Amino acid sequence: VKELNWTNPHVSLVIYRDVKPGEAAEIWTFECAGPANLTRAGWSKRSMQPGDKVQVNYLPLRGGGNSGEIKSVILTGGKILGNGA
């Protein structure tokens, strides 16, 4: 995790994607529902901290690129956070 931006109208998650040794890290940005919906789904602005390792399940953008809409996030301990939709 690079950062979790807990803002209206949509929360965004910025991560460094794992790459092979010697390759430059890729930065990906994902959009989620708003803070109120995510809070009801079990998220908080402290759910993820910079440096945390997470697995992101997402819907990619039609045009490609390093972005998409989050379906769920699996935290290091195995807890699954849904998208709040």
Side-chain angles (χ1 to χ4, degrees):
V1 173
K2 183 173 188 246
E3 60 188 281
L4 178 65
N5 299 308
W6 196 260
T7 57
N8 274 315
H10 301 283
V11 171
S12 65
L13 174 64
V14 182
I15 65 166
Y16 293 108
R17 182 176 171 268
D18 282 340
V19 293
K20 296 176 185 172
E23 291 183 358
E26 293 181 3
I27 296 177
W28 285 62
T29 303
F30 298 97
E31 192 169 280
C32 312
N37 289 347
L38 291 178
T39 299
R40 285 190 290 276
W43 293 56
S44 80
K45 61 183 173 184
R46 292 178 187 81
S47 292
M48 290 166 263
Q49 300 297 316
D52 287 354
K53 293 199 178 273
V54 298
Q55 179 181 336
V56 178
N57 299 309
Y58 67 99
L59 299 170
L61 296 176
R62 279 189 248 173
N66 296 354
S67 189
E69 179 185 348
I70 286 182
K71 290 176 61 177
S72 64
V73 176
I74 303 173
L75 305 178
T76 303
K79 181 176 180 179
I80 300 173
L81 297 174
N83 69 358

